[in-house]
Amino acid sequence: MKRRLMQLVTSILANSYLTGFFRGHIYRGPLKALCVPFLNCYSCPGAWGTCPMGAFQALAAGFSQTLSFYIMGLLTTLGALGGRLVCGWLCPFGFFQELLYAYRSKKWRLPRWLKILPPFVLALTLALPFLWRSGVGMGQPYFCRFICPAGTLEAGLTLLILRPQLRTLVGPTFLIKVAILVMLILLGVFIWRPFCQTLCPLGAFYGLFNNKSFWRLKVKESRCIKCQACSRSCPAGLVPFIEANASGCVRCLQCTKVCPTGALTFGCAVDYAPFRTETGG
Amino acid sequence: MREWTWGGMVFLGIGLLLLMVGLLRGEGVLVLEKGINICLECMGLG
């Protein structure tokens, strides 16, 4: 409940520039210099901040091919602190997918092999704007342009509704993006966060730090009775008592709630009181 | 069993260092320049 509330508040706050929705333009003030830590398209009429993945690619794709230390530093810092905590607690698009998944229907799990996709998507997202450039020396934000469903929903479709003159620009690329969004929405009813589990480059980046982050899951092996309650409850299809901090874990903490013996806990590794009691540290 | 690893500290240090360098290089302004324009290309339009 606390997590849902956080997700709701963040989603509203990040997209609360209401003038943009009424007038069909975007916020152009100084707050746009700040990157939000989650996927939230900066061309959304309601967005106050800038999407880190979009800005990283846009800077890399320019003539000067800027590698943004600011964005990499911000994401690395947040990753080191909580891994994918941002995905589970703050990301508006993740929240949107969880709302879809809340619809009562048969639920499926993604095949495990699909979970190898995110690192590849991340590598391509970061590298292609530098490497694949036109004759005049410009790259493109390829992930934003061809895939990002958050951008299609928050910016593309919203702006097409608010600014009818833009509709003349709709072409095959945009239609492909809409098809990806529709497919993810449909899958999202049956599969938990399909985009986050397979295609999100930002989640993949944070996932690199899940094992090392300060705030992370801990398993007290002496208490674990291997009852599998955690793995049955994990929406990402992980086996928390074996792979507590795997890159797919978004820290929803469902496993800690269902564990009957309290073997799974979440906390800061520096001052980890529940753990300290047992180890005497 | 260790309660924390050097890995987290190293990543945190690297992250803060990169963030500081980026801010000193004035990358906030570059991000602002990108963020204040509707990027039709980014949306797959045009």
Side-chain angles (χ1 to χ4, degrees), chain B residues 6-45:
Chain B
W6 283 105
M9 292 293 276
V10 170
F11 285 133
L12 185 65
I14 291 171
L16 289 172
L17 185 68
L18 288 174
L19 186 60
M20 203 170 66
V21 171
L23 290 174
L24 290 175
R25 290 203 322 169
E27 287 179 14
V29 179
L30 296 177
V31 169
L32 179 66
E33 282 170 8
K34 295 292 176 192
I36 59 172
N37 294 308
I38 291 177
C39 180
L40 295 174
E41 205 174 53
C42 304
M43 289 186 283
L45 292 168

Side-chain angles (χ1 to χ4, degrees), chain A residues 97-165:
Chain A
Q97 290 173 90
E98 286 189 16
L99 292 180
L100 293 171
Y101 191 70
Y103 183 78
R104 282 174 190 272
S105 70
K106 198 175 165 76
K107 303 299 178 192
W108 304 326
R109 293 245 163 118
L110 269 184
R112 282 188 82 87
W113 64 267
L114 271 177
K115 293 177 184 174
I116 62 166
L117 274 178
F120 290 104
V121 177
L122 172 65
L124 291 174
T125 302
L126 299 183
L128 278 185
F130 286 109
L131 302 177
W132 191 5
R133 307 178 76 81
S134 70
V136 292
M138 291 282 284
Q140 285 188 22
Y142 292 102
F143 177 78
C144 297
R145 175 154 195 176
F146 293 105
I147 297 176
C148 186
T152 311
L153 180 69
E154 296 166 359
L157 292 173
T158 311
L159 283 170
L160 287 180
I161 293 168
L162 297 172
R163 292 170 71 165
Q165 67 272 28

Side-chain angles (χ1 to χ4, degrees), chain A residues 162-208:
Chain A
L162 297 172
R163 292 170 71 165
Q165 67 272 28
L166 289 177
R167 290 174 197 167
T168 55
L169 298 172
V170 172
T173 310
F174 188 74
L175 294 177
I176 290 170
K177 284 190 67 179
V178 171
I180 291 173
L181 174 66
V182 170
M183 193 180 71
L184 286 169
I185 287 175
L186 292 175
L187 283 176
V189 174
F190 306 101
I191 298 171
W192 185 79
R193 286 181 170 226
F195 171 71
C196 308
Q197 291 195 70
T198 54
L199 291 173
C200 181
L202 191 54
F205 189 85
Y206 286 137
L208 297 175

Side-chain angles (χ1 to χ4, degrees), chain A residues 34-76:
Chain A
L34 300 175
C35 279
V36 291
F38 37 76
L39 216 61
N40 194 74
C41 188
Y42 56 70
S43 291
C44 170
W48 293 100
T50 301
C51 172
M53 277 296 138
F56 183 92
Q57 291 173 91
L59 290 172
F63 279 114
S64 53
Q65 302 191 44
T66 308
L67 172 66
S68 177
F69 290 173
Y70 163 48
I71 297 169
M72 294 312 280
L74 176 73
L75 300 183
T76 304

